[in-house]
Amino acid sequence: MSSMDTIYTDEKDERFLELVGELDRGYYERIGDELSKYDSYNEFKGPHVVILAVDKDNAVACASYRVFDNDSVEFKRVYVKSEYRKRGIAYNLIKELEKSAFKSSFKYSYIMTGKNNQPAIRLYEKLNYYLIDNFGQFKDDNVVVCMKKEFKLE
């Protein structure tokens, strides 16, 4: 990501919302209306820490987290525009957000994604996330996988 800048912002940033719109449109094109059951879950109901990758003033990728509980954050809305993929951008954005969460005294992070989203699952496994039993609203959902990571000093 050498020629790109990273910018911390929040869930109200128009550049972030535009990228999230692209992410959602892509999901709906691939999966269809079945996704509407997750719409309320994906709303930004509370504050999110957001990081953007910016190339020549254009936001090309994003990732965010929200506080999940006293010890944990949940990573959400990880997205890289198609022409910028396979460059390690999502990996670097998540690593940067993990450092932020760790500095804020969080011990764990969760990520939920589609069980057929193999590129995302491989990325999260590369970042040392591991599969856990689905929980909460995803407990009986066979379309989603839940993953977890414990932050450690590096």
Side-chain angles (χ1 to χ4, degrees), residues 7-25 42-54 58-66 74-81 93 97:
I7 298 171
Y8 277 92
T9 185
D10 64 29
E11 73 282 358
K12 298 176 187 103
D13 190 301
E14 288 297 322
R15 298 166 296 181
F16 175 62
L17 295 173
E18 189 175 310
L19 289 168
V20 167
E22 286 182 33
L23 171 66
D24 288 341
R25 284 189 296 280
N42 286 324
E43 288 175 4
F44 297 107
K45 295 180 180 131
H48 284 62
V49 175
V50 173
I51 191 169
L52 301 173
V54 179
N58 295 314
V60 299
C62 61
S64 71
Y65 73 76
R66 69 176 182 95
E74 178 191 7
F75 282 83
K76 297 180 66 84
R77 318 316 278 163
V78 177
Y79 176 70
V80 178
K81 285 180 171 268
L93 290 179
L97 281 178

mmCIF file of all heavy atoms in Angstrom, residues 7-25 42-54 58-66 74-81 93 97:
data_model
loop_
_atom_site.group_PDB
_atom_site.id
_atom_site.type_symbol
_atom_site.label_atom_id
_atom_site.label_comp_id
_atom_site.label_asym_id
_atom_site.label_seq_id
_atom_site.Cartn_x
_atom_site.Cartn_y
_atom_site.Cartn_z
ATOM 1 N N ILE A 7 -6.567 6.700 6.016
ATOM 2 C CA ILE A 7 -7.230 7.776 6.735
ATOM 3 C C ILE A 7 -8.214 7.164 7.725
ATOM 4 O O ILE A 7 -9.059 6.352 7.342
ATOM 5 C CB ILE A 7 -8.003 8.693 5.753
ATOM 6 C CG1 ILE A 7 -7.029 9.350 4.765
ATOM 7 C CG2 ILE A 7 -8.820 9.736 6.512
ATOM 8 C CD1 ILE A 7 -7.715 10.084 3.638
ATOM 9 N N TYR A 8 -8.099 7.561 8.986
ATOM 10 C CA TYR A 8 -9.096 7.171 9.975
ATOM 11 C C TYR A 8 -10.261 8.150 9.905
ATOM 12 O O TYR A 8 -10.068 9.352 9.768
ATOM 13 C CB TYR A 8 -8.509 7.185 11.391
ATOM 14 C CG TYR A 8 -7.755 5.932 11.736
ATOM 15 C CD1 TYR A 8 -6.391 5.831 11.523
ATOM 16 C CD2 TYR A 8 -8.425 4.835 12.263
ATOM 17 C CE1 TYR A 8 -5.696 4.676 11.839
ATOM 18 C CE2 TYR A 8 -7.751 3.668 12.582
ATOM 19 C CZ TYR A 8 -6.377 3.602 12.366
ATOM 20 O OH TYR A 8 -5.711 2.447 12.677
ATOM 21 N N THR A 9 -11.455 7.613 10.009
ATOM 22 C CA THR A 9 -12.654 8.437 9.965
ATOM 23 C C THR A 9 -13.746 7.712 10.751
ATOM 24 O O THR A 9 -13.445 6.905 11.629
ATOM 25 C CB THR A 9 -13.042 8.745 8.492
ATOM 26 O OG1 THR A 9 -14.149 9.656 8.465
ATOM 27 C CG2 THR A 9 -13.375 7.495 7.700
ATOM 28 N N ASP A 10 -14.993 7.982 10.445
ATOM 29 C CA ASP A 10 -16.092 7.310 11.147
ATOM 30 C C ASP A 10 -17.152 6.845 10.149
ATOM 31 O O ASP A 10 -17.004 7.036 8.942
ATOM 32 C CB ASP A 10 -16.691 8.208 12.239
ATOM 33 C CG ASP A 10 -17.333 9.473 11.684
ATOM 34 O OD1 ASP A 10 -17.815 9.474 10.527
ATOM 35 O OD2 ASP A 10 -17.363 10.477 12.415
ATOM 36 N N GLU A 11 -18.211 6.256 10.690
ATOM 37 C CA GLU A 11 -19.246 5.627 9.866
ATOM 38 C C GLU A 11 -20.091 6.625 9.080
ATOM 39 O O GLU A 11 -20.884 6.224 8.234
ATOM 40 C CB GLU A 11 -20.130 4.735 10.740
ATOM 41 C CG GLU A 11 -21.092 5.461 11.652
ATOM 42 C CD GLU A 11 -20.464 6.047 12.908
ATOM 43 O OE1 GLU A 11 -19.249 5.866 13.133
ATOM 44 O OE2 GLU A 11 -21.196 6.694 13.681
ATOM 45 N N LYS A 12 -19.918 7.910 9.329
ATOM 46 C CA LYS A 12 -20.707 8.924 8.615
ATOM 47 C C LYS A 12 -19.980 9.462 7.382
ATOM 48 O O LYS A 12 -20.558 10.220 6.615
ATOM 49 C CB LYS A 12 -21.038 10.077 9.563
ATOM 50 C CG LYS A 12 -21.887 9.650 10.742
ATOM 51 C CD LYS A 12 -22.103 10.820 11.696
ATOM 52 C CE LYS A 12 -22.798 10.357 12.950
ATOM 53 N NZ LYS A 12 -21.914 10.211 14.083
ATOM 54 N N ASP A 13 -18.734 9.080 7.197
ATOM 55 C CA ASP A 13 -17.925 9.579 6.085
ATOM 56 C C ASP A 13 -18.541 9.140 4.756
ATOM 57 O O ASP A 13 -18.761 7.951 4.525
ATOM 58 C CB ASP A 13 -16.497 9.048 6.220
ATOM 59 C CG ASP A 13 -15.534 9.695 5.253
ATOM 60 O OD1 ASP A 13 -15.760 9.603 4.026
ATOM 61 O OD2 ASP A 13 -14.537 10.274 5.728
ATOM 62 N N GLU A 14 -18.800 10.105 3.879
ATOM 63 C CA GLU A 14 -19.443 9.811 2.589
ATOM 64 C C GLU A 14 -18.631 8.827 1.747
ATOM 65 O O GLU A 14 -19.190 7.994 1.036
ATOM 66 C CB GLU A 14 -19.669 11.105 1.792
ATOM 67 C CG GLU A 14 -20.776 11.974 2.354
ATOM 68 C CD GLU A 14 -22.140 11.308 2.316
ATOM 69 O OE1 GLU A 14 -22.444 10.590 1.329
ATOM 70 O OE2 GLU A 14 -22.913 11.488 3.275
ATOM 71 N N ARG A 15 -17.303 8.924 1.822
ATOM 72 C CA ARG A 15 -16.457 7.998 1.044
ATOM 73 C C ARG A 15 -16.653 6.568 1.530
ATOM 74 O O ARG A 15 -16.742 5.633 0.721
ATOM 75 C CB ARG A 15 -14.987 8.405 1.158
ATOM 76 C CG ARG A 15 -14.705 9.797 0.597
ATOM 77 C CD ARG A 15 -13.357 10.306 1.012
ATOM 78 N NE ARG A 15 -13.307 10.484 2.465
ATOM 79 C CZ ARG A 15 -12.263 10.943 3.130
ATOM 80 N NH1 ARG A 15 -11.161 11.280 2.486
ATOM 81 N NH2 ARG A 15 -12.298 11.075 4.442
ATOM 82 N N PHE A 16 -16.747 6.401 2.835
ATOM 83 C CA PHE A 16 -16.990 5.073 3.417
ATOM 84 C C PHE A 16 -18.365 4.563 2.999
ATOM 85 O O PHE A 16 -18.509 3.408 2.556
ATOM 86 C CB PHE A 16 -16.874 5.157 4.939
ATOM 87 C CG PHE A 16 -17.222 3.894 5.665
ATOM 88 C CD1 PHE A 16 -16.494 2.736 5.473
ATOM 89 C CD2 PHE A 16 -18.270 3.872 6.566
ATOM 90 C CE1 PHE A 16 -16.809 1.566 6.164
ATOM 91 C CE2 PHE A 16 -18.593 2.719 7.261
ATOM 92 C CZ PHE A 16 -17.862 1.564 7.049
ATOM 93 N N LEU A 17 -19.367 5.409 3.111
ATOM 94 C CA LEU A 17 -20.724 4.989 2.763
ATOM 95 C C LEU A 17 -20.846 4.618 1.290
ATOM 96 O O LEU A 17 -21.573 3.681 0.937
ATOM 97 C CB LEU A 17 -21.716 6.093 3.130
ATOM 98 C CG LEU A 17 -21.834 6.373 4.638
ATOM 99 C CD1 LEU A 17 -22.706 7.595 4.897
ATOM 100 C CD2 LEU A 17 -22.356 5.156 5.385
ATOM 101 N N GLU A 18 -20.105 5.302 0.437
ATOM 102 C CA GLU A 18 -20.112 4.962 -0.982
ATOM 103 C C GLU A 18 -19.495 3.576 -1.208
ATOM 104 O O GLU A 18 -20.035 2.757 -1.957
ATOM 105 C CB GLU A 18 -19.333 6.020 -1.756
ATOM 106 C CG GLU A 18 -19.457 5.895 -3.258
ATOM 107 C CD GLU A 18 -18.764 7.050 -3.962
ATOM 108 O OE1 GLU A 18 -19.019 8.214 -3.597
ATOM 109 O OE2 GLU A 18 -17.965 6.760 -4.868
ATOM 110 N N LEU A 19 -18.381 3.291 -0.544
ATOM 111 C CA LEU A 19 -17.760 1.970 -0.666
ATOM 112 C C LEU A 19 -18.669 0.879 -0.112
ATOM 113 O O LEU A 19 -18.801 -0.194 -0.712
ATOM 114 C CB LEU A 19 -16.407 1.952 0.055
ATOM 115 C CG LEU A 19 -15.291 2.755 -0.613
ATOM 116 C CD1 LEU A 19 -14.110 2.908 0.327
ATOM 117 C CD2 LEU A 19 -14.866 2.110 -1.919
ATOM 118 N N VAL A 20 -19.319 1.134 1.009
ATOM 119 C CA VAL A 20 -20.246 0.159 1.594
ATOM 120 C C VAL A 20 -21.409 -0.102 0.635
ATOM 121 O O VAL A 20 -21.867 -1.241 0.499
ATOM 122 C CB VAL A 20 -20.738 0.631 2.979
ATOM 123 C CG1 VAL A 20 -21.922 -0.183 3.459
ATOM 124 C CG2 VAL A 20 -19.598 0.569 3.982
ATOM 125 N N GLY A 21 -21.870 0.941 -0.049
ATOM 126 C CA GLY A 21 -22.924 0.763 -1.057
ATOM 127 C C GLY A 21 -22.486 -0.172 -2.164
ATOM 128 O O GLY A 21 -23.240 -1.047 -2.605
ATOM 129 N N GLU A 22 -21.233 -0.014 -2.627
ATOM 130 C CA GLU A 22 -20.692 -0.915 -3.649
ATOM 131 C C GLU A 22 -20.620 -2.344 -3.125
ATOM 132 O O GLU A 22 -20.957 -3.301 -3.825
ATOM 133 C CB GLU A 22 -19.291 -0.471 -4.074
ATOM 134 C CG GLU A 22 -19.256 0.744 -4.946
ATOM 135 C CD GLU A 22 -17.840 1.107 -5.363
ATOM 136 O OE1 GLU A 22 -17.002 0.183 -5.529
ATOM 137 O OE2 GLU A 22 -17.575 2.309 -5.523
ATOM 138 N N LEU A 23 -20.157 -2.497 -1.881
ATOM 139 C CA LEU A 23 -20.069 -3.812 -1.246
ATOM 140 C C LEU A 23 -21.443 -4.474 -1.221
ATOM 141 O O LEU A 23 -21.596 -5.630 -1.637
ATOM 142 C CB LEU A 23 -19.520 -3.658 0.166
ATOM 143 C CG LEU A 23 -19.551 -4.884 1.088
ATOM 144 C CD1 LEU A 23 -18.628 -5.964 0.578
ATOM 145 C CD2 LEU A 23 -19.166 -4.473 2.504
ATOM 146 N N ASP A 24 -22.438 -3.745 -0.754
ATOM 147 C CA ASP A 24 -23.789 -4.307 -0.662
ATOM 148 C C ASP A 24 -24.351 -4.659 -2.032
ATOM 149 O O ASP A 24 -24.957 -5.720 -2.201
ATOM 150 C CB ASP A 24 -24.718 -3.327 0.053
ATOM 151 C CG ASP A 24 -24.435 -3.240 1.540
ATOM 152 O OD1 ASP A 24 -23.802 -4.163 2.088
ATOM 153 O OD2 ASP A 24 -24.846 -2.238 2.162
ATOM 154 N N ARG A 25 -24.150 -3.786 -3.022
ATOM 155 C CA ARG A 25 -24.651 -4.096 -4.374
ATOM 156 C C ARG A 25 -24.016 -5.371 -4.907
ATOM 157 O O ARG A 25 -24.692 -6.206 -5.508
ATOM 158 C CB ARG A 25 -24.398 -2.916 -5.322
ATOM 159 C CG ARG A 25 -25.385 -1.759 -5.109
ATOM 160 C CD ARG A 25 -25.276 -0.702 -6.193
ATOM 161 N NE ARG A 25 -23.984 -0.012 -6.212
ATOM 162 C CZ ARG A 25 -23.630 0.978 -5.393
ATOM 163 N NH1 ARG A 25 -24.476 1.401 -4.473
ATOM 164 N NH2 ARG A 25 -22.445 1.550 -5.499
ATOM 165 N N ASN A 42 -26.537 -4.865 9.550
ATOM 166 C CA ASN A 42 -25.467 -4.096 8.914
ATOM 167 C C ASN A 42 -25.660 -2.590 8.992
ATOM 168 O O ASN A 42 -24.816 -1.840 8.516
ATOM 169 C CB ASN A 42 -25.292 -4.535 7.457
ATOM 170 C CG ASN A 42 -24.611 -5.880 7.360
ATOM 171 O OD1 ASN A 42 -23.729 -6.199 8.145
ATOM 172 N ND2 ASN A 42 -25.024 -6.680 6.392
ATOM 173 N N GLU A 43 -26.757 -2.134 9.587
ATOM 174 C CA GLU A 43 -26.936 -0.697 9.780
ATOM 175 C C GLU A 43 -25.901 -0.200 10.779
ATOM 176 O O GLU A 43 -25.467 -0.930 11.671
ATOM 177 C CB GLU A 43 -28.337 -0.395 10.314
ATOM 178 C CG GLU A 43 -29.429 -0.588 9.287
ATOM 179 C CD GLU A 43 -30.820 -0.387 9.885
ATOM 180 O OE1 GLU A 43 -30.921 -0.029 11.078
ATOM 181 O OE2 GLU A 43 -31.788 -0.606 9.149
ATOM 182 N N PHE A 44 -25.537 1.054 10.638
ATOM 183 C CA PHE A 44 -24.571 1.653 11.560
ATOM 184 C C PHE A 44 -25.334 2.273 12.725
ATOM 185 O O PHE A 44 -25.651 3.454 12.714
ATOM 186 C CB PHE A 44 -23.706 2.679 10.830
ATOM 187 C CG PHE A 44 -22.891 2.053 9.746
ATOM 188 C CD1 PHE A 44 -23.198 2.253 8.412
ATOM 189 C CD2 PHE A 44 -21.827 1.239 10.066
ATOM 190 C CE1 PHE A 44 -22.461 1.648 7.417
ATOM 191 C CE2 PHE A 44 -21.073 0.630 9.080
ATOM 192 C CZ PHE A 44 -21.397 0.837 7.750
ATOM 193 N N LYS A 45 -25.622 1.436 13.736
ATOM 194 C CA LYS A 45 -26.421 1.881 14.877
ATOM 195 C C LYS A 45 -25.590 2.583 15.928
ATOM 196 O O LYS A 45 -26.105 3.320 16.733
ATOM 197 C CB LYS A 45 -27.147 0.690 15.497
ATOM 198 C CG LYS A 45 -28.157 0.080 14.550
ATOM 199 C CD LYS A 45 -28.879 -1.094 15.181
ATOM 200 C CE LYS A 45 -29.869 -1.659 14.202
ATOM 201 N NZ LYS A 45 -29.790 -3.082 14.052
ATOM 202 N N GLY A 46 -24.310 2.326 15.955
ATOM 203 C CA GLY A 46 -23.434 2.952 16.936
ATOM 204 C C GLY A 46 -22.167 3.406 16.259
ATOM 205 O O GLY A 46 -21.978 3.206 15.060
ATOM 206 N N PRO A 47 -21.277 4.013 17.023
ATOM 207 C CA PRO A 47 -20.040 4.494 16.413
ATOM 208 C C PRO A 47 -19.157 3.358 15.907
ATOM 209 O O PRO A 47 -19.115 2.286 16.499
ATOM 210 C CB PRO A 47 -19.350 5.259 17.538
ATOM 211 C CG PRO A 47 -20.091 4.963 18.786
ATOM 212 C CD PRO A 47 -21.382 4.318 18.435
ATOM 213 N N HIS A 48 -18.499 3.620 14.815
ATOM 214 C CA HIS A 48 -17.546 2.691 14.209
ATOM 215 C C HIS A 48 -16.229 3.425 13.996
ATOM 216 O O HIS A 48 -16.229 4.598 13.632
ATOM 217 C CB HIS A 48 -18.038 2.196 12.846
ATOM 218 C CG HIS A 48 -19.105 1.169 12.905
ATOM 219 N ND1 HIS A 48 -20.333 1.397 13.459
ATOM 220 C CD2 HIS A 48 -19.125 -0.108 12.458
ATOM 221 C CE1 HIS A 48 -21.062 0.298 13.355
ATOM 222 N NE2 HIS A 48 -20.346 -0.628 12.762
ATOM 223 N N VAL A 49 -15.137 2.723 14.214
ATOM 224 C CA VAL A 49 -13.834 3.222 13.813
ATOM 225 C C VAL A 49 -13.639 2.742 12.387
ATOM 226 O O VAL A 49 -13.739 1.546 12.107
ATOM 227 C CB VAL A 49 -12.718 2.691 14.741
ATOM 228 C CG1 VAL A 49 -11.351 3.119 14.230
ATOM 229 C CG2 VAL A 49 -12.946 3.162 16.172
ATOM 230 N N VAL A 50 -13.391 3.677 11.486
ATOM 231 C CA VAL A 50 -13.303 3.363 10.058
ATOM 232 C C VAL A 50 -11.922 3.757 9.553
ATOM 233 O O VAL A 50 -11.382 4.796 9.936
ATOM 234 C CB VAL A 50 -14.391 4.139 9.275
ATOM 235 C CG1 VAL A 50 -14.211 3.979 7.773
ATOM 236 C CG2 VAL A 50 -15.781 3.701 9.704
ATOM 237 N N ILE A 51 -11.378 2.920 8.685
ATOM 238 C CA ILE A 51 -10.133 3.255 8.000
ATOM 239 C C ILE A 51 -10.371 3.112 6.501
ATOM 240 O O ILE A 51 -11.050 2.186 6.061
ATOM 241 C CB ILE A 51 -8.959 2.379 8.499
ATOM 242 C CG1 ILE A 51 -7.633 2.906 7.975
ATOM 243 C CG2 ILE A 51 -9.170 0.928 8.159
ATOM 244 C CD1 ILE A 51 -6.410 2.261 8.621
ATOM 245 N N LEU A 52 -9.857 4.081 5.763
ATOM 246 C CA LEU A 52 -9.969 4.081 4.311
ATOM 247 C C LEU A 52 -8.580 4.004 3.693
ATOM 248 O O LEU A 52 -7.632 4.594 4.230
ATOM 249 C CB LEU A 52 -10.628 5.376 3.813
ATOM 250 C CG LEU A 52 -12.017 5.711 4.318
ATOM 251 C CD1 LEU A 52 -12.413 7.105 3.848
ATOM 252 C CD2 LEU A 52 -13.028 4.680 3.853
ATOM 253 N N ALA A 53 -8.466 3.303 2.578
ATOM 254 C CA ALA A 53 -7.275 3.386 1.738
ATOM 255 C C ALA A 53 -7.624 4.352 0.618
ATOM 256 O O ALA A 53 -8.661 4.214 -0.041
ATOM 257 C CB ALA A 53 -6.911 2.017 1.178
ATOM 258 N N VAL A 54 -6.771 5.346 0.436
ATOM 259 C CA VAL A 54 -7.047 6.406 -0.526
ATOM 260 C C VAL A 54 -5.904 6.452 -1.538
ATOM 261 O O VAL A 54 -4.733 6.523 -1.157
ATOM 262 C CB VAL A 54 -7.196 7.768 0.193
ATOM 263 C CG1 VAL A 54 -7.448 8.886 -0.804
ATOM 264 C CG2 VAL A 54 -8.333 7.700 1.212
ATOM 265 N N ASN A 58 -8.933 9.276 -4.086
ATOM 266 C CA ASN A 58 -10.094 8.407 -4.264
ATOM 267 C C ASN A 58 -10.057 7.285 -3.242
ATOM 268 O O ASN A 58 -9.067 6.551 -3.173
ATOM 269 C CB ASN A 58 -10.100 7.787 -5.675
ATOM 270 C CG ASN A 58 -10.262 8.837 -6.747
ATOM 271 O OD1 ASN A 58 -11.106 9.714 -6.650
ATOM 272 N ND2 ASN A 58 -9.437 8.742 -7.774
ATOM 273 N N ALA A 59 -11.124 7.141 -2.472
ATOM 274 C CA ALA A 59 -11.223 6.033 -1.525
ATOM 275 C C ALA A 59 -11.417 4.747 -2.315
ATOM 276 O O ALA A 59 -12.342 4.642 -3.121
ATOM 277 C CB ALA A 59 -12.382 6.256 -0.560
ATOM 278 N N VAL A 60 -10.517 3.775 -2.097
ATOM 279 C CA VAL A 60 -10.555 2.534 -2.878
ATOM 280 C C VAL A 60 -10.802 1.301 -2.016
ATOM 281 O O VAL A 60 -11.030 0.221 -2.539
ATOM 282 C CB VAL A 60 -9.262 2.352 -3.702
ATOM 283 C CG1 VAL A 60 -9.088 3.513 -4.682
ATOM 284 C CG2 VAL A 60 -8.043 2.210 -2.810
ATOM 285 N N ALA A 61 -10.742 1.469 -0.691
ATOM 286 C CA ALA A 61 -10.960 0.324 0.198
ATOM 287 C C ALA A 61 -11.339 0.840 1.581
ATOM 288 O O ALA A 61 -11.025 1.982 1.944
ATOM 289 C CB ALA A 61 -9.700 -0.534 0.288
ATOM 290 N N CYS A 62 -12.003 -0.038 2.352
ATOM 291 C CA CYS A 62 -12.412 0.350 3.690
ATOM 292 C C CYS A 62 -12.482 -0.872 4.601
ATOM 293 O O CYS A 62 -12.555 -2.005 4.141
ATOM 294 C CB CYS A 62 -13.776 1.036 3.680
ATOM 295 S SG CYS A 62 -15.134 0.008 3.063
ATOM 296 N N ALA A 63 -12.445 -0.592 5.877
ATOM 297 C CA ALA A 63 -12.696 -1.587 6.917
ATOM 298 C C ALA A 63 -13.121 -0.808 8.146
ATOM 299 O O ALA A 63 -12.791 0.379 8.290
ATOM 300 C CB ALA A 63 -11.455 -2.424 7.207
ATOM 301 N N SER A 64 -13.853 -1.462 9.026
ATOM 302 C CA SER A 64 -14.306 -0.765 10.229
ATOM 303 C C SER A 64 -14.466 -1.761 11.367
ATOM 304 O O SER A 64 -14.491 -2.965 11.149
ATOM 305 C CB SER A 64 -15.634 -0.050 9.976
ATOM 306 O OG SER A 64 -16.694 -0.975 9.835
ATOM 307 N N TYR A 65 -14.566 -1.208 12.575
ATOM 308 C CA TYR A 65 -14.974 -2.035 13.705
ATOM 309 C C TYR A 65 -15.884 -1.248 14.616
ATOM 310 O O TYR A 65 -15.894 -0.027 14.619
ATOM 311 C CB TYR A 65 -13.792 -2.638 14.461
ATOM 312 C CG TYR A 65 -12.963 -1.714 15.322
ATOM 313 C CD1 TYR A 65 -13.418 -1.268 16.568
ATOM 314 C CD2 TYR A 65 -11.696 -1.318 14.926
ATOM 315 C CE1 TYR A 65 -12.638 -0.449 17.364
ATOM 316 C CE2 TYR A 65 -10.909 -0.506 15.720
ATOM 317 C CZ TYR A 65 -11.390 -0.067 16.946
ATOM 318 O OH TYR A 65 -10.620 0.744 17.730
ATOM 319 N N ARG A 66 -16.673 -2.007 15.341
ATOM 320 C CA ARG A 66 -17.533 -1.438 16.373
ATOM 321 C C ARG A 66 -17.248 -2.190 17.658
ATOM 322 O O ARG A 66 -16.756 -3.328 17.635
ATOM 323 C CB ARG A 66 -19.007 -1.560 16.003
ATOM 324 C CG ARG A 66 -19.514 -2.989 16.012
ATOM 325 C CD ARG A 66 -21.015 -3.066 15.729
ATOM 326 N NE ARG A 66 -21.476 -4.434 15.791
ATOM 327 C CZ ARG A 66 -22.020 -4.994 16.874
ATOM 328 N NH1 ARG A 66 -22.196 -4.316 17.971
ATOM 329 N NH2 ARG A 66 -22.402 -6.255 16.844
ATOM 330 N N GLU A 74 -15.952 -5.943 16.811
ATOM 331 C CA GLU A 74 -16.389 -6.705 15.648
ATOM 332 C C GLU A 74 -15.969 -5.947 14.403
ATOM 333 O O GLU A 74 -16.301 -4.771 14.241
ATOM 334 C CB GLU A 74 -17.908 -6.892 15.637
ATOM 335 C CG GLU A 74 -18.369 -7.636 14.400
ATOM 336 C CD GLU A 74 -19.870 -7.614 14.199
ATOM 337 O OE1 GLU A 74 -20.588 -6.913 14.937
ATOM 338 O OE2 GLU A 74 -20.328 -8.303 13.266
ATOM 339 N N PHE A 75 -15.220 -6.621 13.538
ATOM 340 C CA PHE A 75 -14.830 -6.022 12.273
ATOM 341 C C PHE A 75 -15.979 -6.167 11.290
ATOM 342 O O PHE A 75 -16.616 -7.209 11.214
ATOM 343 C CB PHE A 75 -13.565 -6.687 11.732
ATOM 344 C CG PHE A 75 -12.338 -6.199 12.427
ATOM 345 C CD1 PHE A 75 -11.954 -6.738 13.632
ATOM 346 C CD2 PHE A 75 -11.594 -5.165 11.905
ATOM 347 C CE1 PHE A 75 -10.846 -6.268 14.308
ATOM 348 C CE2 PHE A 75 -10.476 -4.683 12.567
ATOM 349 C CZ PHE A 75 -10.101 -5.237 13.772
ATOM 350 N N LYS A 76 -16.219 -5.079 10.562
ATOM 351 C CA LYS A 76 -17.348 -5.045 9.632
ATOM 352 C C LYS A 76 -16.960 -4.287 8.379
ATOM 353 O O LYS A 76 -16.038 -3.486 8.392
ATOM 354 C CB LYS A 76 -18.548 -4.331 10.273
ATOM 355 C CG LYS A 76 -19.095 -5.042 11.508
ATOM 356 C CD LYS A 76 -20.270 -4.300 12.116
ATOM 357 C CE LYS A 76 -21.484 -4.274 11.251
ATOM 358 N NZ LYS A 76 -22.352 -5.437 11.333
ATOM 359 N N ARG A 77 -17.680 -4.569 7.324
ATOM 360 C CA ARG A 77 -17.642 -3.792 6.098
ATOM 361 C C ARG A 77 -16.232 -3.658 5.534
ATOM 362 O O ARG A 77 -15.749 -2.578 5.225
ATOM 363 C CB ARG A 77 -18.288 -2.422 6.303
ATOM 364 C CG ARG A 77 -19.586 -2.416 7.114
ATOM 365 C CD ARG A 77 -20.568 -3.505 6.744
ATOM 366 N NE ARG A 77 -21.352 -3.146 5.573
ATOM 367 C CZ ARG A 77 -22.034 -4.011 4.858
ATOM 368 N NH1 ARG A 77 -22.035 -5.283 5.160
ATOM 369 N NH2 ARG A 77 -22.707 -3.617 3.824
ATOM 370 N N VAL A 78 -15.574 -4.797 5.393
ATOM 371 C CA VAL A 78 -14.249 -4.851 4.774
ATOM 372 C C VAL A 78 -14.472 -4.961 3.262
ATOM 373 O O VAL A 78 -15.133 -5.887 2.797
ATOM 374 C CB VAL A 78 -13.439 -6.056 5.297
ATOM 375 C CG1 VAL A 78 -12.094 -6.138 4.600
ATOM 376 C CG2 VAL A 78 -13.284 -5.976 6.817
ATOM 377 N N TYR A 79 -13.923 -4.005 2.524
ATOM 378 C CA TYR A 79 -14.180 -3.978 1.083
ATOM 379 C C TYR A 79 -13.028 -3.300 0.349
ATOM 380 O O TYR A 79 -12.500 -2.286 0.810
ATOM 381 C CB TYR A 79 -15.483 -3.224 0.783
ATOM 382 C CG TYR A 79 -15.776 -3.065 -0.687
ATOM 383 C CD1 TYR A 79 -16.138 -4.161 -1.462
ATOM 384 C CD2 TYR A 79 -15.696 -1.816 -1.299
ATOM 385 C CE1 TYR A 79 -16.408 -4.016 -2.825
ATOM 386 C CE2 TYR A 79 -15.967 -1.669 -2.656
ATOM 387 C CZ TYR A 79 -16.324 -2.766 -3.409
ATOM 388 O OH TYR A 79 -16.593 -2.629 -4.750
ATOM 389 N N VAL A 80 -12.665 -3.875 -0.796
ATOM 390 C CA VAL A 80 -11.665 -3.293 -1.689
ATOM 391 C C VAL A 80 -12.268 -3.270 -3.091
ATOM 392 O O VAL A 80 -12.790 -4.282 -3.558
ATOM 393 C CB VAL A 80 -10.356 -4.118 -1.688
ATOM 394 C CG1 VAL A 80 -9.338 -3.519 -2.654
ATOM 395 C CG2 VAL A 80 -9.781 -4.225 -0.282
ATOM 396 N N LYS A 81 -12.205 -2.114 -3.745
ATOM 397 C CA LYS A 81 -12.690 -2.030 -5.127
ATOM 398 C C LYS A 81 -11.981 -3.086 -5.971
ATOM 399 O O LYS A 81 -10.789 -3.353 -5.783
ATOM 400 C CB LYS A 81 -12.417 -0.640 -5.714
ATOM 401 C CG LYS A 81 -13.329 0.444 -5.198
ATOM 402 C CD LYS A 81 -12.956 1.774 -5.852
ATOM 403 C CE LYS A 81 -13.961 2.838 -5.531
ATOM 404 N NZ LYS A 81 -15.026 2.936 -6.521
ATOM 405 N N LEU A 93 -5.308 -2.963 6.044
ATOM 406 C CA LEU A 93 -6.324 -2.172 6.748
ATOM 407 C C LEU A 93 -6.752 -2.876 8.038
ATOM 408 O O LEU A 93 -6.883 -2.239 9.086
ATOM 409 C CB LEU A 93 -7.533 -1.921 5.851
ATOM 410 C CG LEU A 93 -7.334 -0.966 4.676
ATOM 411 C CD1 LEU A 93 -8.629 -0.842 3.885
ATOM 412 C CD2 LEU A 93 -6.837 0.399 5.125
ATOM 413 N N LEU A 97 -6.338 -1.603 11.911
ATOM 414 C CA LEU A 97 -7.472 -1.498 12.845
ATOM 415 C C LEU A 97 -7.252 -2.367 14.077
ATOM 416 O O LEU A 97 -7.649 -1.992 15.181
ATOM 417 C CB LEU A 97 -8.779 -1.891 12.154
ATOM 418 C CG LEU A 97 -9.416 -0.837 11.260
ATOM 419 C CD1 LEU A 97 -10.674 -1.407 10.615
ATOM 420 C CD2 LEU A 97 -9.736 0.437 12.023
#
